[in-house]
């Protein structure tokens, strides 16, 4: 009985989070009211406050949920790339191509990014949320940085570049691309920009010149 009640509670919480994310990405945090979330989910205020202390707590839960879901996606893509390719450069290219394929499969632009929405309206929340977003973005960049570091450990680039800089670049491309994609109504813009980043990597390592150990 306890396990069943807990499972029901988890489903209710997830429904609230999924609904809130859709509303926030469409209207923003400030314009999304508690009453709208309750109407859309058929929940009561009592149920909401059972799961969240308030709107700020909901925002933190949305950021963590978004981070966790995207981490799972990219970790899966990384594992797939590493299983198919022993060479770190080939694995990295495979990772980028698979991400691009996922975007290309979309018929309309992705709804946006919870990180961007929360950052844009950060004035209504305390620094805890901002710090959580920054930590989430650093974790995401760190996933890419590990891949680029492996490439740079094996190959000498044609121009000076650091793994961290490449990681920051691809994350900035994706985050900025999501804004442009939604603004332009272009579902595939992010994929095109990722492809341009991949072209840049191809030029950096065109000769696959082995790095000489110091």
């Amino acid at each position: 009985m306890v396990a069943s009640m807990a499972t029901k509670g988890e489903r209710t919480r997830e429904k609230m989070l999924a609904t809130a994310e859709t509303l926030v990405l469409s209207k923003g945090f400030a314009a999304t009211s508690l009453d709208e979330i309750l109407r859309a989910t058929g929940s009561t205020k009592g149920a909401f406050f059972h799961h969240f202390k308030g709107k700020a707590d909901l925002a933190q839960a949305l950021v963590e949920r978004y981070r966790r879901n995207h981490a799972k996606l990219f970790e899966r893509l990384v594992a797939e790339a590493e299983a198919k390719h022993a060479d770190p450069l080939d694995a990295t290219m495979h990772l980028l191509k698979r991400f691009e394929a996922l975007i290309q499969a979309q018929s309309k632009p992705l709804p946006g990014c919870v990180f961007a929405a929360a950052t844009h309206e950060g004035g209504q929340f305390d620094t805890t949320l901002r710090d959580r977003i920054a930590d989430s973005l650093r974790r995401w960049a760190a996933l890419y940085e590990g891949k680029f570091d492996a490439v740079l450990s094996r190959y000498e680039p044609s121009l000076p570049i650091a793994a961290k800089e490449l990681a920051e670049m691809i994350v900035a491309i994706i985050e900025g691309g999501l804004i442009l994609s939604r603004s332009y109504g272009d579902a595939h813009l992010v994929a095109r920009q990722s492809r341009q980043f991949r072209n840049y990597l191809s030029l950096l390592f065109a000769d696959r010149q082995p790095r000489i150990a110091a």
Side-chain angles (χ1 to χ4, degrees):
M1 178 66 71
V2 174
S4 176
M5 290 175 64
T7 300
K8 181 179 179 180
E10 289 171 0
R11 289 200 301 268
T12 299
R13 185 177 190 274
E14 174 59 24
K15 185 177 181 180
M16 287 182 183
L17 286 171
T19 300
E21 179 177 309
T22 298
L23 290 170
V24 164
L25 290 178
S26 174
K27 304 170 59 175
F29 277 98
T32 298
S33 69
L34 173 57
D35 287 340
E36 283 182 290
I37 297 172
L38 296 181
R39 283 197 301 270
T41 57
S43 302
T44 64
K45 283 189 177 180
F48 177 87
F49 286 109
H50 173 74
H51 294 287
F52 309 104
K53 297 176 183 178
K55 200 169 183 181
D57 190 41
L58 171 67
Q60 291 192 26
L62 283 173
V63 166
E64 176 56 28
R65 176 179 180 271
Y66 191 81
R67 183 203 67 77
R68 186 173 59 251
N69 288 342
H70 282 71
K72 287 180 181 178
L73 168 63
F74 281 95
E75 286 168 2
R76 176 171 62 81
L77 294 180
V78 167
E80 176 189 300
E82 291 178 344
K84 288 182 175 293
H85 303 281
D87 185 286
L89 182 55
D90 291 335
T92 300
M93 292 299 191
H94 181 98
L95 168 63
L96 293 168
K97 287 179 182 178
R98 284 288 290 114
F99 170 72
E100 292 158 21
L102 289 176
I103 300 299
Q104 284 292 143
Q106 305 298 315
S107 59
K108 56 185 178 178
L110 295 175
C113 173
V114 169
F115 297 154
T119 300
H120 180 68
E121 300 183 65
Q124 64 180 300
F125 304 113
D126 61 22
T127 57
T128 301
L129 182 63
R130 183 188 62 198
D131 293 343
R132 184 164 295 186
I133 293 169
D135 178 66
S136 297
L137 288 170
R138 289 190 187 99
R139 290 192 197 185
W140 184 19
L143 185 149
Y144 280 110
E145 186 176 348
K147 301 302 298 176
F148 298 138
D149 188 58
V151 174
L152 287 167
S153 294
R154 178 171 296 193
Y155 299 115
E156 192 76 41
S158 58
L159 293 171
I161 192 70
K164 183 177 181 180
E165 294 169 348
L166 287 171
E168 290 170 341
M169 185 177 181
I170 186 59
V171 170
I173 285 172
I174 294 172
E175 285 293 306
L178 287 171
I179 295 173
L180 289 177
S181 176
R182 186 173 177 185
S183 298
Y184 296 167
D186 186 339
H188 302 147
L189 187 146
V190 177
R192 293 200 305 274
Q193 293 308 303
S194 176
R195 187 162 61 248
Q196 291 306 312
F197 176 80
R198 183 158 49 84
N199 289 340
Y200 174 59
L201 284 184
S202 295
L203 292 172
L204 279 177
F205 301 101
D207 296 332
R208 296 207 179 208
Q209 186 68 34
R211 180 175 289 276
I212 300 174

